[in-house]
Amino acid sequence: MVHYKKFTLDNGLRVLVHEDHSTAMACVNILYDVGARDENPEQTGFAHLFEHLMFGGSVNIPNYDTPLQQVGGENNAFTSNDITNYYITLPANNLETAFWLESDRMLSLAFSEQSLEVQRQVVIEEFKQRYLNQPYGDVWLKLRPLAYKEHPYRWATIGKELKHIEDAKMEDVKAFFDTHYTPQHAIMVIAGDVDFEGVKSLAEKWFGDIPAGEKIERYLPQEPKQTEARRETVEADVPLESIYIAFHGEERMHADYYATDLISDILSRGSSSRLYRSLVKEEPIFSEVNAYMMGSLDTNLFVLEGKPSEGVSLADAEQALWAQLERLKTELVTEHELEKVKNKVESTMVFSELSILDKAMNLAYFELLGDADLYNQEIEKYLQVKPEDIRRVANAIFREENSSTLLYKPLVKETHAEQN
């Protein structure tokens, strides 16, 4: 159980405080309710670009990292299709420095052409190195638009294409900031060796005067129900053949999310999981194989991926994966097998409660979902899943017409015999 108190400033900023006096550290986590799904389809990659721009300095603090390092602090951030999250950890007695830094860039981010150009080049290089110039790096640039036809999940967080970042103009960047980086679209969690009244005073001092901004009504196009199987085969400069199968599943707040997540653990969590035991160890059809949920707020993807062993065709490997899914659809998992994966989920969540950063991020995320106390209810929701739920959900999801299959094949390189 993670205890917390909450208040909301007049400008709409929600603040949660978790006191943990077993540590001398504090964490300041700010979640902005904006991700790649909120982008214009013709201007993708902006949420991720902004994650970088937020470290480019503000009007009053040209170098964000220097004052933080001087008080022993560290910071980082991440962007997903749903959210953008920034966090600072530092000695608790220097907490006000974090408030100063975060409030200043929320109110007075410096929009200089130099900063935009520097961060643009950083993102372009990341796009090239991580997505274009390494084997299988472009899988999500291909699998997402294969699986999604209407919802903005059809592009990756990095963006659809390099040109969208290359063409980003200062007025577009400012408009994105003004729309999404406002107090009423943010959730701040303070965790660690802090006290509620002290945090409340600091929040009022540093964030209270920041204008609330305009409230956004989000109207995202909904993904139509998939009615036929989709397939794409790619010949690329990859060392091995590879297979990815994506199925549409329920959104994050649906009751069946928990059974679906446990299915991924039954299939591929650890050396005793079904896919590893059956398809790697006992019958080496795959050299590596995995199953996972994307965990998206809206309609989810459940993904199977693997690289067939030498001598095994993609067709045989694909058939072996479907055979494992059919088992879930026809046979009830045993109570023992289900209990094992539930125990792993529970231990992971309990372990996360030892870290003030994990607690801060989780409280912010569940507050975004509707109520931070949902975090304290998560374990129970997993524990309530029954074998019958696993079979029912497997039958609902693992249908051929609900599948999008992406196959990678190595390029056939031509060889020329030496002329004598």
Side-chain angles (χ1 to χ4, degrees):
M1 177 71 71
V2 178
H3 298 281
Y4 65 92
K5 294 180 180 179
K6 173 185 169 182
F7 61 93
T8 303
L9 298 181
D10 291 342
N11 57 17
L13 178 66
R14 284 174 278 175
V15 185
L16 286 74
V17 183
H18 167 68
E19 298 185 23
D20 180 353
H21 301 294
S22 67
T23 175
M25 303 295 289
C27 173
V28 175
N29 188 91
I30 299 186
L31 181 154
Y32 288 93
D33 184 12
V34 57
R37 66 175 180 164
D38 297 299
E39 296 165 345
N40 182 325
E42 304 307 316
Q43 291 179 319
T44 64
F46 269 50
H48 177 247
L49 174 62
F50 238 95
E51 177 199 322
H52 288 262
L53 285 171
M54 284 287 278
F55 293 98
S58 63
V59 171
N60 303 303
I61 309 168
N63 189 318
Y64 179 89
D65 287 330
T66 299
L68 184 60
Q69 291 168 353
Q70 288 173 345
V71 296
E74 297 179 345
N75 71 89
N76 214 329
F78 64 86
T79 310
S80 73
N81 286 73
D82 295 312
I83 66 171
T84 309
N85 194 86
Y86 301 85
Y87 56 90
I88 291 174
T89 55
L90 76 174
N93 58 358
N94 293 326
L95 180 63
E96 189 164 8
T97 299
F99 275 77
W100 168 55
L101 289 169
E102 289 295 348
S103 64
D104 197 64
R105 66 178 176 178
M106 182 186 285
L107 176 64
S108 308
L109 189 68
F111 291 100
S112 70
E113 291 291 350
Q114 179 184 0
S115 176
L116 176 57
E117 191 55 35
V118 168
Q119 300 306 329
R120 187 206 313 275
Q121 293 307 316
V122 170
V123 172
I124 287 173
E125 189 61 25
E126 180 182 348
F127 200 124
K128 291 177 179 178
Q129 291 299 319
R130 292 183 57 189
Y131 294 84
L132 301 182
N133 298 338
Q134 66 168 304
Y136 319 105
D138 61 351
V139 60
W140 290 108
L141 302 181
K142 298 181 181 301
L143 189 56
R144 280 187 176 276
L146 185 64
Y148 292 105
K149 298 304 178 184
E150 297 294 334
H151 195 284
Y153 285 163
R154 66 185 183 273
W155 57 83
T157 306
I158 195 72
K160 281 186 187 178
E161 53 186 279
L162 272 175
K163 184 171 173 55
H164 288 181
I165 299 302
E166 291 171 342
D167 292 348
K169 295 180 174 59
M170 180 60 73
E171 57 264 32
D172 299 325
V173 168
K174 283 184 176 180
F176 190 87
F177 179 84
D178 291 341
T179 300
H180 298 288
Y181 278 74
T182 63
Q184 63 178 320
H185 297 121
I187 299 167
M188 182 165 68
V189 180
I190 315 299
D193 189 20
V194 300
D195 69 271
F196 178 76
E197 291 301 328
V199 168
K200 194 170 184 179
S201 175
L202 287 174
E204 289 282 2
K205 174 181 177 181
W206 290 103
F207 289 89
D209 292 336
I210 300 177
E214 295 294 325
K215 184 68 176 175
I216 302 171
E217 295 297 333
R218 186 180 273 119
Y219 299 104
L220 299 178
Q222 294 305 298
E223 185 66 21
K225 186 176 181 180
Q226 187 173 339
T227 57
E228 60 181 10
R230 300 167 185 160
R231 298 181 70 84
E232 182 178 342
T233 300
V234 178
E235 289 191 356
D237 188 12
V238 295
L240 300 167
E241 292 184 327
S242 187
I243 181 171
Y244 300 82
I245 310 176
F247 300 89
H248 289 283
E250 300 293 355
E251 65 271 12
R252 182 61 180 81
M253 290 302 290
H254 195 282
D256 285 342
Y257 174 87
Y258 301 93
T260 315
D261 197 25
L262 287 172
I263 288 173
S264 72
D265 288 351
I266 290 169
L267 288 174
S268 73
R269 185 166 183 172
S271 58
S272 63
S273 63
R274 290 189 176 190
L275 295 183
Y276 181 82
R277 192 175 66 246
S278 300
L279 304 184
V280 176
K281 192 174 181 182
E282 294 174 1
E283 191 175 358
I285 293 175
F286 285 89
S287 59
E288 57 182 86
V289 65
N290 198 12
Y292 51 89
M293 279 276 284
M294 296 301 291
S296 307
L297 293 183
D298 298 330
T299 170
N300 258 294
L301 287 185
F302 186 105
V303 182
L304 293 166
E305 64 175 58
K307 294 178 175 59
S309 299
E310 187 175 357
V312 177
S313 69
L314 276 171
D316 287 343
E318 184 176 355
Q319 186 176 13
L321 289 176
W322 276 101
Q324 291 297 319
L325 299 180
E326 287 301 319
R327 278 188 64 199
L328 286 166
K329 292 165 67 175
T330 56
E331 305 170 11
L332 282 177
V333 299
T334 65
E335 291 283 359
H336 175 69
E337 185 177 19
L338 186 55
E339 193 67 28
K340 276 173 57 181
V341 293
K342 286 180 179 179
N343 289 341
K344 288 180 179 179
V345 169
E346 185 173 13
S347 64
T348 298
M349 294 190 68
V350 170
F351 184 76
S352 73
E353 292 182 7
L354 300 177
S355 160
I356 57 171
L357 175 57
D358 285 345
K359 287 185 284 189
M361 288 196 293
N362 280 315
L363 286 171
Y365 180 71
F366 282 95
E367 179 67 19
L368 178 69
L369 292 180
D371 183 356
D373 199 52
L374 292 169
Y375 179 34
N376 292 318
Q377 302 170 27
E378 276 290 275
I379 292 176
E380 186 56 34
K381 290 177 180 177
Y382 281 103
L383 296 180
Q384 288 175 357
V385 174
K386 297 178 173 58
E388 292 80 7
D389 297 321
I390 298 294
R391 185 169 63 181
R392 175 179 55 79
V393 170
N395 276 279
I397 294 176
F398 302 133
R399 295 173 289 108
E400 187 176 358
E401 65 270 23
N402 190 40
S403 67
S404 298
T405 304
L406 178 65
L407 304 174
Y408 275 84
K409 293 184 175 181
L411 283 170
V412 177
K413 297 180 180 179
E414 297 181 6
T415 58
H416 301 279
E418 186 177 338
Q419 299 292 323
N420 291 320

